[in-house]
């Protein structure tokens, strides 16, 4: 489940500032299971870690023919470890934190001018 092809691209946020993003575009495929993982984040004695995620999501209604395969949410998971474990962790070992939904999504018009509406979740 870690071998999904993610495209690294450069886009613009709503203020036309450049941002580096990862995207997956196979919205026509049913039963998708796309994962994007960070590297190991050492906690160095911290009791709590806050992660800030900035993301964009395309409005599914702006894409014809994707009903049932397009998703406007994603799940955030974690795996706690005292060391880097690489790709040895299996999908069922992750613990779900939350389902994340965008406050704002973008459409094909926004994409045409390369301006994406950025959401932030902590």
């Amino acid at each position: 489940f870690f071998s999904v092809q993610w495209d690294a691209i450069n886009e613009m946020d709503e203020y036309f500032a450049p941002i580096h993003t990862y995207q997956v575009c196979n919205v026509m495929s049913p039963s998708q299971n796309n994962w994007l993982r960070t590297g190991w984040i050492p906690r160095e004695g911290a009791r709590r870690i806050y992660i800030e995620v900035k993301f964009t999501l395309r409005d599914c209604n702006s894409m014809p023919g994707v009903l049932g395969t397009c998703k406007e949410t994603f799940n955030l998971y974690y795996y706690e470890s005292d060391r880097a474990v690489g790709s040895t962790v299996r999908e069922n070992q992750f613990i779900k934190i939350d389902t994340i939904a965008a406050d704002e999504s973008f459409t094909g018009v926004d994409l045409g001018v390369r301006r994406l509406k950025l959401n932030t979740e902590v």
Side-chain angles (χ1 to χ4, degrees), residues 10-30:
N10 290 308
E11 292 288 345
M12 301 287 186
D13 67 10
E14 63 268 29
Y15 304 107
F16 296 101
I19 55 174
H20 185 78
T21 63
Y22 294 92
Q23 74 177 23
V24 62
C25 294
N26 53 338
V27 295
M28 298 299 280
S29 302

Side-chain angles (χ1 to χ4, degrees), residues 70-118:
C70 180
K71 303 290 184 221
E72 293 182 357
T73 62
F74 63 92
N75 295 322
L76 184 63
Y77 295 88
Y78 78 96
Y79 177 80
E80 190 170 345
S81 175
D82 290 330
R83 61 183 171 77
V85 294
S87 61
T88 61
V89 181
R90 293 183 311 277
E91 181 178 347
N92 64 357
Q93 292 178 285
F94 286 88
I95 298 168
K96 183 178 175 180
I97 296 172
D98 202 359
T99 298
I100 309 297
D103 292 327
E104 294 190 69
S105 57
F106 67 93
T107 66
V109 173
D110 299 313
L111 192 59
V113 295
R114 299 184 63 83
R115 191 175 94 172
L116 305 180
K117 295 174 180 158
L118 202 57

Side-chain angles (χ1 to χ4, degrees), residues 38-55:
T38 69
W40 179 60
I41 302 170
R43 67 182 176 99
E44 299 177 0
R47 294 193 131 136
R48 181 171 290 172
I49 296 175
Y50 293 92
I51 304 295
E52 182 178 83
V53 179
K54 294 184 181 229
F55 63 97

